[in-house]
Amino acid sequence: MGRFVYEGSQKAEIDDRTLHHLQVVVTTKLRRGEPFLFTWKDDTSIGGGRSTVWLHPGCNLVFSYSGGRVPDLNRQWVEALASTANATSGLYVVREPAVEPSADPGRSTRTG
């Protein structure tokens, strides 16, 4: 399990594969100077609610991974996540779509 940390205080436990895809979307938007909301479900150990933070180019973010291997990138998932980030509701995790090899020629085959 990885960890997303916002401004040193807001933290979310997120599996490494999902976190990697979120990092791609977040860094792309922030590099373009596009602020947006990010919402996640809180762990049941802290109440099981949800948290939302305002991500902007000046915010302090940490993406911390438990594993050393960089997961393959599913470009269709990145596009689906980016679509939520571009909506008024902001970024939130959507289910990873299945990858059809012919539909995703840019898929990374990096294994670590």
Side-chain angles (χ1 to χ4, degrees):
M1 241 349 160
R3 180 177 279 185
F4 170 80
V5 183
Y6 175 81
E7 296 293 342
S9 60
Q10 284 291 105
K11 299 176 176 113
E13 298 280 325
I14 302 171
D15 74 85
D16 281 2
R17 179 165 180 76
T18 303
L19 187 61
H20 177 64
H21 285 77
L22 289 170
Q23 180 178 340
V24 170
V25 172
V26 168
T27 57
T28 298
K29 296 246 337 140
L30 295 181
R31 235 182 289 134
R32 294 177 182 162
E34 300 172 359
F36 59 101
L37 293 171
F38 174 37
T39 300
W40 64 87
K41 292 180 182 177
D42 293 324
D43 190 73
T44 55
S45 66
I46 60 168
R50 63 186 168 94
S51 294
T52 301
V53 294
W54 180 247
L55 299 179
H56 56 90
C59 67
N60 182 10
L61 302 177
V62 177
F63 298 88
S64 179
Y65 297 89
S66 61
R69 189 181 77 78
V70 176
D72 289 342
L73 192 64
N74 179 338
R75 297 216 181 266
Q76 292 171 326
W77 197 12
V78 169
E79 290 171 12
L81 291 165
S83 179
T84 70
N86 290 328
T88 56
S89 59
L91 176 62
Y92 58 91
V93 177
V94 295
R95 193 172 295 208
E96 180 175 10
V99 175
E100 297 177 23
S102 62
D104 194 6
R107 181 182 169 140
S108 170
T109 57
R110 185 173 177 176
T111 57

